Amino acid sequence: MQAKREPARKEFMLPDMDSTFRVFAAHWRTVDPDWKYPLHKHPLFEVNLVLSGTQEMKVNGHAYKQGPGDLILLNPGDNHESSVVCNDEMTYYCLHFDVDERSFRELLIRNSHCFHEAGSELAVAIKPALDKLMALTSEESVVRVESRMNILSALFELFAGLSGTLSELNRGAAGARKSAAASQIAAMLERTVESAAERGEKEDEVETIKLIADSVGYSMSSVNRMFTQVYGVSPRQYLSSLMLKKAKLLLMNPEATVESISARLGYHNIAHFSRQFKRWTGESPSSFRSRFHD
């Protein structure tokens, strides 16, 4: 006779979580008094912290002078350039990252202040995590498993500090309607990818976004503009990131063939899927899979 499970008097559970983040070119560097970095932009978030000396960073045409402890928090697409001032060498720490957690992306994009002085709420909140990351930035950390786990721990601490502080700094109802609509659109895009994977069909990206725009009562241009303002990426880019995430999860299952995964994602030509995956990641599906299943 099967034992009957008695209901708990009190129960608390963590929410299910499925989030991806990527970190690029994290480094600290000492540069000469005549050092300059030309005007550029990239599709990533960036934390830039001055450790010694003085840096002038121009962000979207506005100049900010950074001394030790001052940091700049950039959003994707921000135009920026840097140079050393005060005729002395300068040391800085720089970290580029991307995240697909919708609420966190929204907080980052909504933040309208890129410059945070040493001693400011945000600078103080994330400095311990940055100190840990700087201490772990070495060639040895790349190869040692425990060091890599410590890096991941420090990164989550950094993201927690950023999200918690930005939530307080940007508290208010401004943009609430736009945010709610963008969140609804994102949820619909996520359901579309899951539904397509269950059916083994690949949805046309433009048609998918058009149907979603019609269902929420906005034009395509309004949906693209509103979504990008809230999350920093277009609906089409977000849809591609969801497809890549789904492909990676399926490839981590050793029992599924690349051909069956290709078919499940709606790529009935495996060569087409392989080319698309390589455009997304720079490596083939088989190469990605080999890193998890030797």
Side-chain angles (χ1 to χ4, degrees):
M1 180 176 178
Q2 188 175 4
K4 184 179 179 181
R5 184 177 181 271
E6 292 294 330
R9 290 183 59 195
K10 188 178 289 187
E11 184 176 39
F12 300 95
M13 297 181 68
L14 285 173
D16 294 337
M17 289 179 280
D18 181 12
S19 184
T20 303
F21 68 89
R22 292 155 292 279
V23 175
F24 303 88
H27 62 278
W28 66 264
R29 179 179 295 154
T30 299
V31 295
D32 293 328
D34 59 351
W35 176 86
K36 293 183 179 180
Y37 202 92
L39 183 67
H40 67 291
K41 62 180 179 179
H42 49 67
L44 304 169
F45 298 98
E46 178 180 336
V47 174
N48 188 291
L49 172 71
V50 167
L51 302 174
S52 65
T54 308
Q55 172 177 243
E56 181 179 84
M57 183 177 285
K58 292 181 181 178
V59 181
N60 298 324
H62 298 281
Y64 303 93
K65 189 172 288 187
Q66 291 174 265
D70 296 339
L71 66 86
I72 295 278
L73 178 59
L74 298 173
N75 282 334
D78 282 345
N79 287 296
H80 55 288
E81 58 184 315
S82 308
S83 61
V84 176
V85 294
C86 299
N87 297 316
D88 197 4
E89 67 178 24
M90 187 265 295
T91 301
Y92 70 96
Y93 183 75
C94 179
L95 181 147
H96 303 82
F97 68 94
D98 194 19
V99 291
D100 68 3
E101 168 57 45
R102 282 196 277 126
S103 57
F104 186 27
R105 284 194 72 92
E106 182 181 350
L107 279 172
L108 289 163
I109 295 296
R110 195 192 305 167
N111 177 49
S112 58
H113 303 289
C114 67
F115 179 67
H116 301 268
E117 293 181 334
S120 66
E121 192 172 349
L122 185 68
V124 170
I126 68 173
K127 187 59 164 55
L130 290 175
D131 286 340
K132 291 178 184 178
L133 288 168
M134 285 185 281
L136 288 162
T137 303
S138 67
E139 185 176 349
E140 182 183 4
S141 298
V142 175
V143 296
R144 294 180 58 190
V145 174
E146 62 270 31
S147 293
R148 291 174 67 87
M149 294 303 102
N150 285 329
I151 291 170
L152 289 175
S153 175
L155 284 169
F156 280 117
E157 185 178 333
L158 171 66
F159 296 156
L162 283 170
S163 60
T165 307
L166 291 177
S167 294
E168 292 297 321
L169 294 177
N170 297 298
R171 188 179 295 276
R177 182 180 177 187
K178 184 192 299 181
S179 172
S183 179
Q184 181 184 6
I185 293 164
M188 295 172 78
L189 290 170
E190 291 162 10
R191 287 196 295 270
T192 295
V193 169
E194 290 301 321
S195 175
E198 290 174 5
R199 301 192 315 271
E201 299 177 2
K202 186 179 183 299
E203 303 285 356
D204 179 85
E205 293 178 349
V206 175
E207 184 62 25
T208 294
I209 296 167
K210 184 179 185 304
L211 289 172
I212 289 175
D214 291 342
S215 69
V216 296
Y218 289 96
S219 67
M220 278 275 285
S221 59
S222 293
V223 163
N224 278 300
R225 183 173 59 254
M226 177 171 51
F227 195 92
T228 303
Q229 287 174 347
V230 173
Y231 295 121
V233 292
S234 69
R236 192 168 183 177
Q237 289 172 316
Y238 187 69
L239 194 58
S240 292
S241 73
L242 293 172
M243 286 293 292
L244 172 59
K245 185 177 179 180
K246 188 68 178 178
K248 285 182 173 181
L249 288 172
L250 293 173
L251 286 167
M252 291 174 71
N253 176 8
E255 297 180 1
T257 65
V258 174
E259 187 173 9
S260 69
I261 292 169
S262 171
R264 183 171 175 183
L265 293 173
Y267 293 90
H268 301 297
N269 182 330
I270 189 172
H272 184 196
F273 170 63
S274 296
R275 284 195 300 272
Q276 180 61 63
F277 191 88
K278 192 162 188 177
R279 276 197 292 268
W280 280 333
T281 65
E283 62 181 335
S284 68
S286 298
S287 175
F288 172 82
R289 160 173 275 180
S290 68
R291 293 194 280 115
F292 297 92
H293 309 290
D294 293 329

